[in-house]
Amino acid sequence: FVDWTMGLRTMTLGYNCRAVDDAAIAQIRKGNNFGRPSFIETELARDLVELIPSAEMVKFAKNGSSVTTAAVKLARAFTGRPHVAFCRDHPFFSYDDWFIGATVCDGGIPPAHVAHSFGFSYNDIASVEQAFQEHPGKIAAVIMEACTIEPPRDNFLQAVQALCRREGALLILDEMITGFRFAIPGAQAFFGLEPDICTFGKGIANGYSVSVLAGRRDIMRLGGLHHDEKRVFLISTTHGAENSGLAAARACLRIFREQPVIEHLWSVGRRLMDGMAEAARDAGVAEQFQLVGYPCSPGYMTRDRHGAVSLEFRTLFMQEMIRRGVLMNYIVPSFAHGDAELNKTLEATRAALAIYACALDDGVGCHLEGPSIRPVFRPYN
């Protein structure tokens, strides 16, 4: 198969990147986990502080939820405020109670655990202002991605940042997907933002499990031992600084510095989007099958003949792509995708969209071989 899902967006450089794997294996032979911090933690921390302008200190963990929750905890400790506002249009910030309990997937979570969490709408600065007006002096942080498939409009990101500064709240930027994809280090550079805290993961170590909490020293220090204020028990993970993952991250970041990875992600993504859009026009389904987002992190929308977003048609497209050897739940350009992968993908797209066109006339159910995919956030299975 040609894979465009790339390990849940972790394989930025591609599978079996020899330099990254060799670094991880070499570190394993030196020792993979110790009772005290190892030198490689400091070395990777220095790498990241050099690459992330907004970062003065970092903390390592294994997954994104750990560091986004830690960011919220730090913001509450630093500001002395209880509330957190999150962008409800961005699909996922954490499996922890403060966020997931505010979705329809709130099974097992007491309502009191999410009483201090509430959402706002992307590209709607009035909704962010309203949150501050309704909770004056109570919002510790605004947490959001810089963008997903919808680009910011009317200087929205800068307006949110300015609002946080004015109201004394922290801006937490989730760079799990945008980090080391939109730019180096991520969307904060691409859009000109200065977050107080930011979080990274996924492609930072090319498939190895590393996540990063990074931010201003005066905030981050609260999670350490060298202060006289109330202690913040920030993150405690037995495997949080597993040395093989940190070595992989160092090797991965070295490749980002030395090779045109970011430029390639944008280039191959643009060629893919252009080719798929042309295939949709040729099949007569350009109104129903649309390419969205940025070339380095594109997406596609599937609609029925009435223009409504359709998961059944998305299922059909994925089914027909799989039939032709292409995995495309979503699109993650990598440094390993080249002409051969593009050609095979576009050939499969043309055939899949021909079936899509037939299904608009025949009914999509006639062409599906199994049940339709369903939304992630739903109250029952």
Side-chain angles (χ1 to χ4, degrees):
F1 287 89
V2 172
D3 185 6
W4 289 95
T5 65
M6 302 308 291
L8 297 176
R9 301 182 187 275
T10 65
M11 310 302 299
T12 315
L13 301 177
Y15 295 101
N16 192 28
C17 177
R18 186 63 179 268
V20 175
D21 293 345
D22 284 352
I25 292 167
Q27 183 60 50
I28 288 172
R29 293 192 173 117
K30 296 178 182 178
N32 200 36
N33 218 339
F34 302 100
R36 306 302 301 164
S38 61
F39 290 114
I40 197 169
E41 293 184 53
T42 304
E43 292 164 353
L44 178 57
R46 286 173 176 158
D47 292 344
L48 290 165
V49 168
E50 288 178 4
L51 290 170
I52 305 171
S54 63
E56 295 175 318
M57 298 181 77
V58 302
K59 176 72 174 175
F60 300 115
K62 302 303 286 181
N63 62 70
S65 291
S66 296
V67 291
T68 52
T69 293
V72 168
K73 187 187 298 185
L74 277 178
R76 286 170 167 163
F78 183 79
T79 62
R81 299 174 176 183
H83 297 330
V84 57
F86 62 88
C87 182
R88 65 169 66 92
D89 302 309
H90 295 165
F92 186 77
F93 290 105
S94 176
Y95 54 63
D96 290 306
D97 291 3
W98 69 269
F99 171 72
I100 206 67
T103 74
V104 296
C105 297
D106 58 356
I109 301 173
H113 286 206
V114 293
H116 299 294
S117 301
F118 43 83
F120 61 88
S121 299
Y122 191 71
N123 272 332
D124 183 359
I125 192 62
S127 70
V128 189
E129 292 171 341
Q130 182 179 355
F132 280 102
Q133 291 167 4
E134 292 178 353
H135 307 279
K138 296 294 185 181
I139 297 180
V142 170
I143 183 169
M144 62 185 300
E145 296 179 73
C147 69
T148 52
I149 60 173
E150 180 183 358
R153 298 191 304 269
D154 301 325
N155 216 34
F156 174 72
L157 296 174
Q158 284 70 25
V160 171
Q161 179 172 276
L163 187 58
C164 288
R165 301 281 192 270
R166 189 185 78 197
E167 297 291 340
L170 302 187
L171 175 61
I172 303 171
L173 195 64
D174 181 343
E175 293 250 40
M176 291 296 157
I177 292 175
T178 57
F180 295 91
R181 176 164 292 276
F182 274 66
I184 295 177
Q188 57 190 276
F190 186 78
F191 292 109
L193 300 173
E194 298 178 3
D196 301 294
I197 306 174
C198 50
T199 58
F200 292 83
K202 293 194 181 292
I204 200 171
N206 203 53
Y208 290 85
S209 182
V210 179
S211 63
V212 175
L213 172 71
R216 287 167 27 196
R217 181 175 297 276
D218 59 335
I219 301 168
M220 295 286 291
R221 61 186 282 277
L222 296 178
L225 301 176
H226 301 292
H227 62 84
D228 297 324
E229 299 171 62
K230 190 172 180 65
R231 187 179 182 193
V232 177
F233 199 92
L234 189 60
I235 300 175
S236 178
T237 57
T238 299
H239 302 288
E242 184 182 32
N243 285 195
S244 57
L246 303 188
R250 290 206 78 199
C252 188
L253 295 178
R254 190 176 303 115
I255 292 171
F256 273 103
R257 287 193 296 261
E258 296 175 354
Q259 299 189 44
V261 179
I262 300 298
E263 293 85 349
H264 183 83
L265 302 185
W266 281 86
S267 173
V268 75
R270 169 53 63 196
R271 292 170 62 195
L272 181 68
M273 291 180 78
D274 289 346
M276 294 182 77
E278 180 181 9
R281 290 192 296 270
D282 291 345
V285 296
E287 294 297 317
Q288 289 78 32
F289 186 88
Q290 300 166 331
L291 280 300
V292 293
Y294 290 83
C296 66
S297 185
Y300 59 89
M301 298 289 291
T302 53
R303 302 179 185 276
D304 61 21
R305 62 165 44 256
H306 304 293
V309 174
S310 170
L311 291 181
E312 287 186 315
F313 273 97
R314 189 177 187 90
T315 306
L316 176 64
F317 177 73
M318 290 165 52
Q319 168 188 294
E320 297 303 317
M321 293 294 280
I322 289 170
R323 192 192 306 280
R324 292 160 179 83
V326 178
L327 296 173
M328 194 176 264
N329 306 38
Y330 43 87
I331 306 174
V332 185
S334 81
F335 199 42
H337 286 116
D339 290 344
E341 291 75 27
L342 277 172
N343 292 337
K344 181 173 180 177
T345 300
L346 294 178
E347 181 181 354
T349 300
R350 287 188 285 271
L353 292 182
I355 303 296
Y356 195 117
C358 291
L360 289 171
D361 294 328
D362 305 339
V364 65
C366 299
H367 296 270
L368 288 177
E369 297 184 4
S372 173
I373 58 175
R374 303 177 68 189
V376 171
F377 292 112
R378 58 184 189 272
Y380 300 99
N381 290 327

